[in-house]
Amino acid sequence: MKEITLDVLRDAANRLMFDMSEEEYQTLLQEFDVLKKQMEMIGKIEGLENYAPMTFPFPCEVSYLREDVAEEPLKKEDALRNAGSKQDGQIKLPKVVG
């Protein structure tokens, strides 16, 4: 496991384009220490390798979704009818990324 240091946290924050105060970095570093200790404790459980990893802790059945049935797509004119902004036969959306 990669060692979590203040430099690693600062680099991650920089890559995510945000910054924190020095106090917040220290708090986050302490939280990673706690998390690492917890992971080490879990890793010491005997027979743990005999169990499949879980993605969700409870059984979950999804029976309320409808069947996916292929239907005729909307005509272009129908799809564009209520669009607020159109350009070249397409719906024009505002720019969302830099």
Side-chain angles (χ1 to χ4, degrees), residues 1 3-5 9 12-13 16 19 25 28-29 36 44 46-47 50 52 54 66 68 74 76 81 83 88 94 97:
M1 180 176 181
E3 184 68 27
I4 304 296
T5 64
L9 294 176
L16 294 170
D19 197 12
Y25 279 116
L28 187 58
L29 187 61
K36 185 178 175 185
K44 292 179 183 177
E46 289 185 31
N50 299 329
M54 293 174 27
R66 65 168 172 75
D68 193 11
L74 285 175
K76 187 178 194 180
R81 183 178 300 138
D88 299 325
V97 178

Side-chain angles (χ1 to χ4, degrees), residues 20-87:
M20 298 184 297
S21 69
E22 190 60 33
E23 182 181 337
E24 290 169 321
Y25 279 116
Q26 291 295 333
T27 300
L28 187 58
L29 187 61
Q30 291 171 1
E31 289 179 8
F32 268 105
D33 287 339
V34 170
L35 182 61
K36 185 178 175 185
K37 289 176 186 174
Q38 291 172 340
M39 290 171 52
E40 288 171 359
M41 287 177 60
I42 291 172
K44 292 179 183 177
I45 297 173
E46 289 185 31
L48 186 63
E49 63 280 352
N50 299 329
Y51 294 91
M54 293 174 27
T55 57
F56 191 71
F58 308 106
C60 185
E61 291 184 27
V62 181
S63 59
Y64 53 86
L65 297 176
R66 65 168 172 75
E67 287 295 318
D68 193 11
V69 179
E71 295 181 0
E72 195 66 31
L74 285 175
K75 293 179 183 174
K76 187 178 194 180
E77 297 78 26
D78 293 336
L80 292 172
R81 183 178 300 138
N82 293 324
S85 181
K86 302 172 222 172
Q87 181 179 348

